[in-house]
Amino acid sequence: MKKSILMAALLCGTLPLLAQTAAEQTLKEIYKSSLTDAKCYPWLDHLSNTIGSRLSASPGAEKAVLYTKAQLETLGVDKVYLQEVMVPKWVRGEKEIGYLQLGKQKITFPICALGGSVATPKSGLNATVIEVKSLEELTALGEAKVKGKIIFFNRPMNPEFVETFKAYSGCVDQRSSGAREAGKLGALAVIVRSMNLRMDDLPHTGATNYGDISKDQRIPAAAISTNGAELLSKSLKANPNATFYLKQSCQTFDDVLSHNVVAEMTGTEHPEQIMVVGGHLDSWDLGDGSHDDGAGCVQSMEVLNIFKNIGYKPKHTLRVVLFMNEENGVRGGKEYEIQSAKSNENHIFALESDSGGFSPRGFSIDGDEANFNQIKNWGVLFEPYLIHKFVKGHSGVDIGPLQSKQIIKVGLQPDSQRYFDYHHAANDTFDAVNKRELELGAAAMASLLYLIDQNGIVK
């Protein structure tokens, strides 16, 4: 059947019988390979339990670069190489200390420095605390009330949202911008409630951004656990003049050379048209980054393994990219686009996995209406595998910078209910990842890439 007729059928939500039968059979083979002969789980085991945390410029990050490159080379693909990228180096230092002084009583809280934060003085700092719920509330207080104080941002994630990333988006500004805005008003430090829907004693780190404010306005920023935030708020209401002691010794050093890891299967019919699939190799330093984003990296690697196992050779060039430095700079994603533009490369499709290794539910699609409808209308093929979510939306941070004449960007959407229990926290470890859920995500990704490869994008 001519491609134009096939495409018309696809856009109408149907596939010709022969094409649908062939696609159904290939998806069965993809899922069988992933569920019976996958390497992603042992790959993640090594990344998590042998290498550990992989903060940019750390020894773990560089070990991960070498390990994943070596594993990709065993798959016998056409190219495996490293792409140089300069990344920031931030080191947490000694264990942070935070406690509330109530006369002779001392209440200690679970805290951790936010990524990129400056240190306190070596002896720490001590000040009264002002609790606020938003940046707007902080601004309304003004410099006279903020100067010399510690600002406690205590806006929780909204549990009403079934889509937990909406709840995250609704309060993450206090983590990313709180220190900057409070520093402008003369605050001494900020404490930020962790981005976590669960009540526990684990502080969740994440990047804080000082922007272009002067160095003397850059103040220490720390996260506090959700249980800690509740207790601090309650304690302050009962003792508004209590002082909080904070000590952290984090440092920022000169940028360091690191790498994106790239592997490629050259297209048999359209080698000049590139499809990318990837995740970010770096992680925060509290846990070992199994969900964020070791899972996305090994799932992307597994796509190549699946295609090798079932003997599928893509028509378009398929490129796996393990990006460095998503967490605190996005240098890897930006550098990949810079080098791509220099080489005049044509990317037609990009797929990112950076929402955890939980059961896949579907895809969020950043593209025009015709291509959105094409992918959505393949939903019938995904129904046997419990993939049902095809929505317009954000694809991924690392593929965000990619620019081509026409490119469709997609993000894997796993079930999100448990993601923020682990996100950027010390419990983001290998034992939190279910083997079968991880493999199902890899199969969903390989299936979508196969369908894009077979049918192309709508132009």
Side-chain angles (χ1 to χ4, degrees):
M1 179 172 287
K2 291 183 179 180
K3 185 174 180 181
S4 59
I5 299 175
L6 174 60
M7 294 305 299
L10 287 167
L11 291 173
C12 290
T14 61
L15 281 166
L17 183 59
L18 289 177
Q20 180 168 332
T21 301
E24 288 173 346
Q25 182 58 38
T26 301
L27 263 63
K28 285 182 181 179
E29 293 176 9
I30 286 172
Y31 271 84
K32 179 180 178 180
S33 174
S34 192
L35 293 172
T36 65
D37 198 19
K39 296 183 177 182
C40 53
Y41 195 66
W43 280 335
L44 184 62
D45 187 358
H46 186 94
L47 277 177
S48 300
N49 294 323
T50 300
I51 294 176
S53 65
R54 303 175 301 278
L55 188 60
S56 291
S58 70
E62 295 317 301
K63 288 178 183 177
V65 166
L66 297 177
Y67 172 72
T68 52
K69 178 176 182 289
Q71 294 305 306
L72 288 164
E73 288 171 340
T74 68
L75 300 180
V77 295
D78 297 302
K79 295 178 184 177
V80 180
Y81 58 94
L82 301 181
Q83 184 179 72
E84 292 186 349
V85 54
M86 297 299 293
V87 299
K89 182 177 181 178
W90 178 84
V91 177
R92 181 173 301 280
E94 298 176 357
K95 181 76 175 75
E96 302 88 344
I97 300 172
Y99 60 80
L100 195 67
Q101 192 72 51
L102 298 172
K104 294 182 178 181
Q105 184 187 10
K106 186 187 295 184
I107 304 177
T108 302
F109 294 90
I111 64 164
C112 69
L114 292 178
S117 174
V118 298
T120 62
K122 289 184 178 181
S123 60
L125 59 84
N126 202 6
T128 55
V129 181
I130 299 177
E131 178 180 344
V132 297
K133 300 292 186 183
S134 67
L135 297 176
E136 292 76 16
E137 187 178 344
L138 169 73
T139 301
L141 288 174
E143 183 176 352
K145 293 182 180 179
V146 170
K147 190 172 183 179
K149 304 293 195 302
I150 294 174
I151 301 300
F152 169 37
F153 288 97
N154 190 29
R155 181 165 82 259
M157 292 177 67
N158 188 341
E160 294 180 15
F161 291 116
V162 174
E163 175 48 69
T164 61
F165 279 87
K166 290 183 179 179
Y168 176 73
S169 298
C171 62
V172 73
D173 62 341
Q174 58 193 338
R175 189 195 74 201
S176 60
S177 304
R180 180 179 68 245
E181 298 308 314
K184 290 178 183 177
L185 296 174
L188 293 183
V190 297
I191 301 169
V192 182
R193 184 189 182 104
S194 289
M195 311 294 111
N196 182 8
L197 282 160
R198 185 171 69 177
M199 299 306 300
D200 62 26
D201 295 316
L202 297 169
H204 293 228
T205 192
T208 194
N209 179 15
Y210 292 114
D212 58 359
I213 64 173
S214 61
K215 286 188 176 182
D216 62 343
Q217 291 178 315
R218 299 185 179 194
I219 59 176
I224 186 170
S225 72
T226 47
N227 278 340
E230 291 296 304
L231 178 58
L232 180 57
S233 179
K234 181 179 178 181
S235 300
L236 291 173
K237 287 179 174 63
N239 304 275
N241 295 320
T243 59
F244 194 96
Y245 175 83
L246 175 65
K247 183 180 180 183
Q248 53 190 46
S249 57
C250 36
Q251 287 182 270
T252 298
F253 298 88
D254 291 339
D255 288 355
V256 171
L257 177 65
S258 188
H259 301 85
N260 294 328
V261 184
V262 186
E264 184 176 299
M265 297 176 76
T266 305
T268 58
E269 295 183 16
H270 306 288
E272 78 288 353
Q273 297 181 13
I274 301 169
M275 304 183 300
V276 162
V277 60
H280 65 85
L281 196 51
D282 63 306
S283 76
W284 283 111
D285 55 322
L286 298 179
D288 56 49
S290 290
H291 276 298
D292 188 18
D293 183 31
C297 288
V298 298
Q299 287 173 328
S300 300
M301 295 165 67
E302 187 62 41
V303 170
L304 295 182
N305 189 45
I306 290 169
F307 284 175
K308 176 189 173 185
N309 288 344
I310 69 174
Y312 182 72
K313 296 181 179 179
K315 299 177 181 180
H316 306 82
T317 292
L318 174 60
R319 188 178 288 171
V320 168
V321 184
L322 309 182
F323 298 95
M324 184 57 67
N325 185 234
E326 186 270 350
E327 294 292 7
N328 59 336
V330 200
R331 302 278 187 88
K334 292 175 180 176
E335 185 62 27
Y336 181 81
E337 163 56 18
I338 289 170
Q339 297 305 320
S340 173
K342 285 182 179 179
S343 301
N344 294 313
E345 291 181 335
N346 179 24
H347 290 77
I348 62 167
F349 184 77
L351 171 61
E352 184 169 333
S353 173
D354 186 19
S355 298
F358 302 100
S359 292
R361 293 291 180 253
F363 303 95
S364 56
I365 302 157
D366 180 8
D368 58 33
E369 197 71 22
N371 280 285
F372 171 75
N373 287 332
Q374 174 175 237
I375 294 173
K376 185 177 181 180
N377 289 333
W378 290 333
V380 64
L381 296 170
F382 284 97
E383 284 180 2
Y385 309 104
L386 306 181
I387 302 295
H388 62 274
K389 182 180 180 181
F390 298 87
V391 297
K392 295 180 181 180
H394 175 69
S395 55
V397 172
D398 281 308
I399 62 176
L402 260 179
Q403 301 293 322
S404 280
K405 185 176 180 180
Q406 186 183 21
I407 180 171
I408 311 306
K409 302 175 186 179
V410 173
L412 178 69
Q413 292 289 299
D415 188 294
S416 71
Q417 301 311 313
R418 292 170 289 155
Y419 182 63
F420 290 100
D421 295 352
Y422 306 100
H423 184 247
H424 298 177
N427 62 340
D428 185 5
T429 50
F430 182 69
D431 62 312
V433 178
N434 178 275
K435 177 178 180 290
R436 190 169 177 85
E437 291 181 330
L438 183 75
E439 294 165 349
L440 285 167
M445 294 161 67
S447 297
L448 183 58
L449 282 159
Y450 160 75
L451 290 168
I452 289 289
D453 185 56
Q454 282 292 297
N455 299 288
I457 62 172
V458 183
K459 297 181 179 179

